[in-house]
Amino acid sequence: MKIKTIKSASYIVSSVAGALAAGFSLLAGGAWWVVLAALVIVFTIIYSISDLVLRKFVIYKLKPVYQIVHSRNIKTSQLEHELAHKEEMLDDIKVDIRAWEEHNRNEIARLKDNERFRKEYVGNVAHEIKTPVFNVQGYISTLLDGGLEDPSINRQYLERAEKSIDRLINIVQDLDQISKLESGILKLNLERFDIVEIVREVIETLEIEAERKHITIKVGNSPGGTFPLAPIYVVADKHYVSQIFVNLIINSINYGNEDGSTRISFVDMFDKILVEVADTGVGIAKDDIPRVFERFYRTDKSRSREQGGTGLGLAIVKHIVEAHGETITLRSELGKGSTFSFSLTKA
């Protein structure tokens, strides 16, 4: 027989004691009412004593477990008061222990994931910084070893060193920005502005990069995709929205095919404006799509580094979009290009 409650244990003990008392009275030749009185009196006294003793004993044994599970110090009297009306204390504690174990398992899993992510992150940062640092070191060492006096290479090596330093600066700036975005230090400055005008300004700054790969940047939903377009007003942080377009358009240029195109289109969705940046580039494999917004993740590492990317652009875009309370999605297929979509609140 399995005893689950203190009252059950007390009942069994007092019943045995009462039966023994009744038996002794019967053997002593007592009348039936004497036997019955002995049974009732002994049962009542033993039940009260055993209930008190067993409850204190169980609470005494449960106290260390209770303190560990609930992560707090507690006096025995306080625990007695908390458990005073709980008949199945062991079952209640078992439930608490299971919940505590589950919480600890989840916490340990989270810490392991964080540790794995930290190691991967530190390794990626070191790997990204190592190449330009070694390049600068190599160029400067060559110049110090006599190359500085050689007019055929001194300017060329200085320009290459400058390019590697610019890459280092970009990595540090992107790391600083994404750290601030993740920590919530940067606050959005929400204002009403024309998103079409922002796109126009960004395209003008990236015109040289697009021409280098013979990529045509189109705006709007019409086949021609040329300005001017009617103004489209949104409420957002103008600076960060501009950065979203810079990163997405640069990404479309870096991974676009020669003589391809990039299209920025807008869809009116009641109180939102859906923005899509689509390219006719190499596309992204299905298995890579869930990871493209991770820091330093690249689907084509050699090609991305060749283009000078830091591997942080899409991660920054994701954080900026989410800071606006929106989400960014990706549709892509190998060989058929990619489309990034996000929404902003319409003014």
Side-chain angles (χ1 to χ4, degrees), residues 5 19 24 31 53 120 153 192 213 293 309:
T5 66
F24 285 130
V53 172
E120 183 178 326
I153 66 169
R192 181 180 182 269
K213 291 192 65 174
F293 294 105

Side-chain angles (χ1 to χ4, degrees), residues 189-202:
N189 179 27
L190 300 180
E191 58 180 312
R192 181 180 182 269
F193 61 91
D194 178 12
I195 194 172
V196 175
E197 182 61 30
I198 292 294
V199 171
R200 189 198 313 271
E201 293 172 1
V202 170

Side-chain angles (χ1 to χ4, degrees), residues 302-317:
S302 60
R303 184 174 182 183
S304 184
R305 288 196 180 91
E306 185 181 300
Q307 299 292 341
T310 64
L312 294 168
L314 291 180
I316 290 173
V317 167

Side-chain angles (χ1 to χ4, degrees), residues 271-272 318 320-328 342-345:
D271 61 334
K272 301 285 184 180
K318 178 176 180 288
I320 293 175
V321 172
E322 290 180 348
H324 283 81
E326 307 290 346
T327 57
I328 183 166
F342 65 95
S343 58
L344 293 172
T345 300

